[in-house]
Amino acid sequence: MAVLKVLVIDDEPGIRSGVSRILNNFQVNYPFMDEDYTFEIQEAATGEDGIVIIDRDKPDILLLDNKLPGIQGIEVLEYVRNKKYDIVVVMITSYASLDVALKAHKFGATDFIPKPFTPQELKSSIENITKQQYLKRITHRMNEEGKKVRYQFLSVLSHELKAPLNAIEGYLRMMQEKQSGDRIEDYVTPIERSLQRIQGMRNLIMDLLDFTKIQLERKDEKIEEVHLSNIASSAIVTVQPYAIQMEVSIRLTVKTDAVIMADPTDMEIIFNNLISNSVKYNRRGGKAEIIIDCEKDDVVIAFTDTGIGITETDRENLFAEFVRIKNEKTRNISGSGLGLSIVKKVIELYNGIIAVESVADVGSTFTVRLPKKQTVNAQQT
Ligand code: ADP
């Protein structure tokens, strides 16, 4: 439930109490709104008293009579605009001269309600304003979120690239100064470590590219018949060198060869990320299994591992951007915290869902459910 603060400034007590009575029990809801809007009413009999409340409480909506005993409504409106307050102003007035109406319009009055007004006239005006306020709040929230994501994006990028670059620079200087000897064989470890750091940077860049790709407009999608078992097999081939290094065995079980209408690149993103996570967060000698099956109209893919697991608290935010679980077990594992958020966004494009079950130190299962039929989201975005 969201609340909009309404201030009514009118010298007629009957109007003030009428507005309070009508709006106190009024709720606005449009199908596109995620919550109902209600109203909190304050009253002032003069412009001077009204300005005190405006400065103090910053109402969202001002219902303003023009003919007031002291300063006039239009002057209150002018005051609000000069102060650059974000308040929607509705003039309630019985005889607005053209001059007053023009001035009110110039100072950004949103609406005029003639006096006397019916409850319905007041409600319609408030309904419209509420709709505008809602859209304004949503736009503001989206801009803020966008800014936050862009900021995180840049800070992750600079932070995650700085460390490997420093390390590689250190190794190269070591070689330049011939700190360990004259032969190339004396530098096997720094060379290997440099290559690993380069691979880490490459992974990060790939994540960021995937992330940008799904954040931006998706123009060059190619929806076609995709055999998920093929996608799984090639993802396993890609991850295999890493799995060998981690001593993790990967098994693919295809119970039903699922065919889905999709862009193959999107399916690769899902499989590459989830398989590489089940290797990356596994234990030495552990197992990772991918099971592909069909249930009615859906394809169901389970990615199971015998790894470090994820506690219930850590699972809450797992699919948000840049979320990485920080503890002793993950301290030496590098990543961007973008993989799962990318996977979730892609799955949602296909009207699918992803869920996770996990037991700390035993392992995790990520289950992906995708409708087999081509879906509207995937085509439109
Ligand atoms: P990244 O691996 O780049 O950190 P992800 O978005 O892929 O980013 O994963 C977010 C976090 O979720 C990881 O940092 C890790 O702590 C946790 N996580 C992901 N997959 C698993 C898994 N299979 N087992 C345990 N923890 C996992």
Side-chain angles (χ1 to χ4, degrees):
M1 188 89 76
V3 179
L4 289 177
K5 287 188 274 182
V6 180
L7 170 63
V8 46
I9 306 180
D10 200 307
D11 55 337
E12 288 178 53
I15 295 280
R16 295 200 304 271
S17 59
V19 168
S20 294
R21 208 178 40 248
I22 297 165
L23 296 186
N24 263 331
N25 296 318
F26 186 46
Q27 282 193 5
V28 175
N29 187 289
Y30 285 92
F32 53 80
M33 288 181 177
D34 50 8
E35 53 190 349
D36 291 353
Y37 273 72
T38 57
F39 305 91
E40 203 177 271
I41 325 295
Q42 278 181 295
E43 299 177 20
T46 64
E48 288 81 353
D49 288 351
I51 283 178
V52 173
I53 299 178
I54 290 170
D55 283 335
R56 192 186 58 213
D57 297 338
K58 314 275 175 332
D60 300 292
I61 303 171
L62 180 58
L63 298 175
L64 184 60
D65 185 18
N66 187 45
K67 267 232 150 300
L68 293 167
I71 58 167
Q72 297 298 287
I74 202 80
E75 290 168 84
V76 178
L77 175 58
E78 200 175 341
Y79 178 84
V80 167
R81 288 305 162 235
N82 287 342
K83 284 270 188 173
K84 300 204 165 28
Y85 287 146
D86 187 16
I87 301 175
V88 180
V89 181
V90 177
M91 301 297 291
I92 32 173
T93 181
S94 37
Y95 42 92
S97 68
L98 183 62
D99 184 39
V100 169
L102 284 175
K103 256 192 174 161
H105 184 68
K106 183 177 148 218
F107 289 125
T110 304
D111 203 359
F112 285 85
I113 305 182
K115 241 198 270 188
F117 51 81
T118 63
Q120 196 43 50
E121 276 169 331
L122 176 64
K123 285 180 179 172
S124 311
S125 175
I126 292 292
E127 259 171 0
N128 272 329
I129 293 169
T130 307
K131 187 162 57 181
Q132 288 165 19
Q133 289 294 95
Y134 171 78
L135 295 174
K136 209 153 79 185
R137 283 185 183 185
I138 291 287
T139 313
H140 179 74
R141 206 187 301 160
M142 279 161 68
N143 285 343
E144 286 304 302
E145 274 167 17
K147 259 190 236 156
K148 204 170 110 203
V149 169
R150 276 196 295 279
Y151 173 75
Q152 282 176 322
F153 188 99
L154 289 176
S155 61
V156 166
L157 186 69
S158 44
H159 178 263
E160 293 294 321
L161 291 182
K162 221 158 74 189
L165 280 174
N166 286 343
I168 295 168
E169 190 181 10
Y171 293 133
L172 285 175
R173 288 210 188 286
M174 224 173 120
M175 293 165 82
Q176 192 182 36
E177 290 161 14
K178 301 196 174 158
Q179 285 179 14
S180 302
D182 287 340
R183 299 167 314 139
I184 191 76
E185 291 77 19
D186 301 328
Y187 297 92
V188 172
T189 314
I191 291 172
E192 232 164 51
R193 297 225 170 113
S194 297
L195 289 173
Q196 272 168 13
R197 302 310 286 256
I198 288 172
Q199 186 55 41
M201 288 197 283
R202 185 171 290 129
N203 290 342
L204 174 67
I205 290 167
M206 297 310 282
D207 276 358
L208 291 173
L209 285 177
D210 283 347
F211 180 69
T212 320
K213 183 173 164 253
I214 53 162
Q215 290 287 107
L216 299 175
E217 225 184 310
R218 294 154 52 85
K219 288 201 190 97
D220 24 81
E221 248 173 317
K222 289 186 208 79
I223 302 286
E224 57 188 56
E225 250 186 30
V226 180
H227 288 258
L228 292 183
S229 54
N230 293 346
I231 302 279
S233 303
S234 61
I236 292 171
V237 170
T238 311
V239 179
Q240 201 67 57
Y242 183 46
I244 291 170
Q245 199 187 324
M246 295 286 296
E247 295 166 24
V248 171
S249 61
I250 310 178
R251 193 167 75 176
L252 171 64
T253 307
V254 182
K255 290 193 174 161
T256 319
D257 182 18
V259 181
I260 178 171
M261 296 303 293
D263 182 333
T265 325
D266 288 339
M267 297 301 113
E268 278 162 22
I269 289 177
I270 299 174
F271 279 83
N272 284 341
N273 272 292
L274 292 176
I275 298 177
S276 82
N277 276 355
S278 53
V279 172
K280 192 159 125 184
Y281 299 103
N282 220 312
R283 56 177 165 79
R284 290 219 166 260
K287 291 192 177 96
E289 182 169 25
I290 303 108
I291 303 173
I292 301 179
D293 202 358
C294 287
E295 268 175 32
K296 288 193 186 152
D297 299 330
D298 293 342
V299 171
V300 182
I301 315 131
F303 301 83
T304 300
D305 65 61
T306 54
I308 58 175
I310 308 159
T311 63
E312 204 177 327
T313 324
D314 286 332
R315 287 202 293 270
E316 275 167 25
N317 229 0
L318 202 61
F319 295 95
E321 284 112 5
F322 302 108
V323 167
R324 304 210 67 223
I325 300 167
K326 293 201 175 79
N327 56 35
E328 261 312 297
K329 289 177 246 165
T330 57
R331 210 154 60 96
N332 294 321
I333 308 176
S334 68
S336 64
L338 277 173
L340 289 180
S341 74
I342 295 169
V343 165
K344 182 157 190 270
K345 284 210 175 81
V346 171
I347 290 169
E348 282 171 355
L349 287 175
Y350 289 86
N351 287 335
I353 48 170
I354 178 162
V356 56
E357 280 172 62
S358 186
V359 179
D361 294 324
V362 175
S364 312
T365 298
F366 286 80
T367 307
V368 176
R369 186 176 279 273
L370 293 167
K372 273 191 256 180
K373 295 256 165 61
Q374 188 172 343
T375 56
V376 183
N377 277 359
Q379 273 181 316
Q380 272 183 348
T381 39

